[in-house]
């Protein structure tokens, strides 16, 4: 039976077969219509996620620090947020981004089905908290088998109109297995890959607007000023994010006092 693309339902063709986790054979399929590249039925995932965060992800800390600064400017300027909104970092790993964004003054919360919250404990998201101005998914989409379902479900969970996310994009035909570091076949966790055209079609099928600066992307039910989005996530962000933190005021001590009152001892 032909494999159908989970983005646009077109038939997919085999792009290449490679070795995953150093021992499993995996075939990756490519959709010529939207540019989606993925594997089919990745049977190695249980072993891949024996540790939720791969040991080879040496960019974990620097990536979260870099994203947090740009995210602060994006939320403050682009979404006209002045510290009153609620946000959710979905599939938030150890809680790094949630903690950093709270340190900037944003009311961020964490969720992750597969990873332990280490640094944002006490700020786990539940539907009782209410809807979110936006949700974030940093380096997540490349891990999911069905991006359409994941985004739809995530926005419903967060009761939001806006998803801000990162994933690396490729251009043209799929790179050869040994020509793109982002495949990360040694970990087996990256199973879905995107072009800009893939995200554009995905947004249309979800009924959402889309913008990107090349590595940071946004889907929203609201109209997007693409020029302002790129300005807020570019060089301007490096100059502005200290001002955002100063204006909003960090939640660091407020959170400390809250956790003390809640008897968080461990």
């Amino acid at each position: 039976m032909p494999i159908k693309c989970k983005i646009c339902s077109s038939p997919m063709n085999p792009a290449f077969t490679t070795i995953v986790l150093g021992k499993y054979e995996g075939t990756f399929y490519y959709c010529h219509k939207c540019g989606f590249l993925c594997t089919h039925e990745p049977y190695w995932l249980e072993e891949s996620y024996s540790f939720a965060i791969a040991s080879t992800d040496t960019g974990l800390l620097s990536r979260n620090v870099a994203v947090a600064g740009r995210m602060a400017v994006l939320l403050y300027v682009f979404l006209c947020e002045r510290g009153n909104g609620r946000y959710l970092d979905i599939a938030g790993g150890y809680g790094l981004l949630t903690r950093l964004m709270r340190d900037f003054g944003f009311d961020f919360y964490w969720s992750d089905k597969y990873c332990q919250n280490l640094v944002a404990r006490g700020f786990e998201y539940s539907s009782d908290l209410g809807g979110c101005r936006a949700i974030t998914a940093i380096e997540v989409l490349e891990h999911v088998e069905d991006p359409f379902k994941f985004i739809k479900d995530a926005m419903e969970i967060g009761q939001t109109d806006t998803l801000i996310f990162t994933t690396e994009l490729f251009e043209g035909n799929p790179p050869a297995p040994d020509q793109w570091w982002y495949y990360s076949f040694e970990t087996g966790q990256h199973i879905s890959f995107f072009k800009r055209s893939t995200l554009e079609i995905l947004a249309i099928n979800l009924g959402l607007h889309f913008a990107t600066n090349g590595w940071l992307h946004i889907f929203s039910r609201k109209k997007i000023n693409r020029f302002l989005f790129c300005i807020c996530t570019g060089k301007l962000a490096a100059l502005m994010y200290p001002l955002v933190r100063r204006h909003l005021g960090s939640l660091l001590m407020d959170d400390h006092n809250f956790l003390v009152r809640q008897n968080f001892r461990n």
Side-chain angles (χ1 to χ4, degrees):
M1 173 178 278
I3 294 174
K4 288 191 175 181
C5 177
K6 292 180 179 178
I7 305 295
C8 68
S9 299
S10 298
M12 302 187 78
N13 299 314
F16 56 76
T17 298
T18 190
I19 299 300
V20 180
L21 281 173
K23 54 185 174 181
Y24 299 116
E25 187 176 271
T27 299
F28 286 74
Y29 297 83
Y30 180 62
C31 175
H32 288 274
K33 181 177 180 180
C34 73
F36 185 46
L37 174 69
C38 66
T39 189
H40 181 61
E41 296 181 352
Y43 55 90
W44 56 81
L45 287 185
E46 184 175 353
E47 182 174 339
S48 293
Y49 286 101
S50 56
F51 292 97
I53 306 296
S55 61
T56 55
D57 188 5
T58 54
L60 180 66
L61 287 174
S62 60
R63 179 174 65 247
N64 277 275
V65 170
V67 167
R70 286 166 172 77
M71 192 73 69
V73 176
L74 182 64
L75 299 182
Y76 188 85
V77 178
F78 186 76
L79 293 185
C80 300
E81 176 53 57
R82 298 299 181 264
N84 296 319
R86 183 183 300 106
Y87 299 90
L88 165 63
D89 185 32
I90 200 160
Y94 295 145
L96 287 169
L97 184 64
T98 297
R99 184 65 261 163
L100 287 167
M101 294 306 295
R102 296 191 68 84
D103 290 351
F104 273 114
F106 294 92
D107 192 19
F108 252 74
Y109 292 84
W110 169 98
S111 74
D112 197 314
K113 294 180 180 179
Y114 306 105
C115 195
Q116 183 180 3
N117 180 8
L118 297 180
V119 297
R121 285 176 292 173
F123 300 99
E124 292 81 7
Y125 179 79
S126 70
S127 58
D128 295 340
L129 291 169
C132 300
R133 286 289 305 276
I135 60 175
T136 56
I138 307 305
E139 296 301 290
V140 176
L141 284 195
E142 61 278 3
H143 293 259
V144 302
E145 293 186 60
D146 189 338
F148 181 95
K149 184 178 186 303
F150 173 84
I151 294 171
K152 186 174 181 294
D153 290 349
M155 295 182 73
E156 288 178 357
I157 290 169
Q159 305 169 58
T160 188
D161 290 330
T162 302
L163 167 67
I164 303 168
F165 63 103
T166 66
T167 191
E168 294 286 334
L169 306 180
F170 68 94
E171 298 180 358
N173 292 323
D178 61 348
Q179 295 298 309
W180 196 26
W181 67 273
Y182 200 64
Y183 284 136
S184 190
F185 293 131
E186 67 277 3
T187 72
Q189 293 185 358
H190 288 192
I191 57 175
S192 294
F193 306 94
F194 308 83
K195 297 168 66 170
R196 177 173 180 146
S197 59
T198 319
L199 298 182
E200 289 172 341
I201 293 174
L202 180 56
I204 291 170
N205 291 343
L206 285 162
L208 303 172
H209 299 281
F210 167 66
T212 180
N213 71 356
W215 67 276
L216 186 63
H217 323 287
I218 184 170
F219 285 157
S220 183
R221 294 189 180 93
K222 302 173 183 178
K223 289 186 177 180
I224 297 170
N225 185 325
R226 290 177 172 81
F227 176 76
L228 182 59
F229 176 81
C230 290
I231 291 294
C232 291
T233 56
K235 293 181 179 179
L236 177 66
L239 301 175
M240 283 195 62
Y241 73 78
L243 301 177
V244 172
R245 178 173 179 170
R246 188 179 307 163
H247 186 267
L248 291 181
S250 173
L251 295 176
L252 192 151
M253 286 308 301
D254 289 344
D255 288 352
H256 168 77
N257 293 329
F258 166 77
L259 295 172
V260 169
R261 292 195 300 271
Q262 297 297 316
N263 293 317
F264 273 81
R265 296 188 177 92
N266 298 316

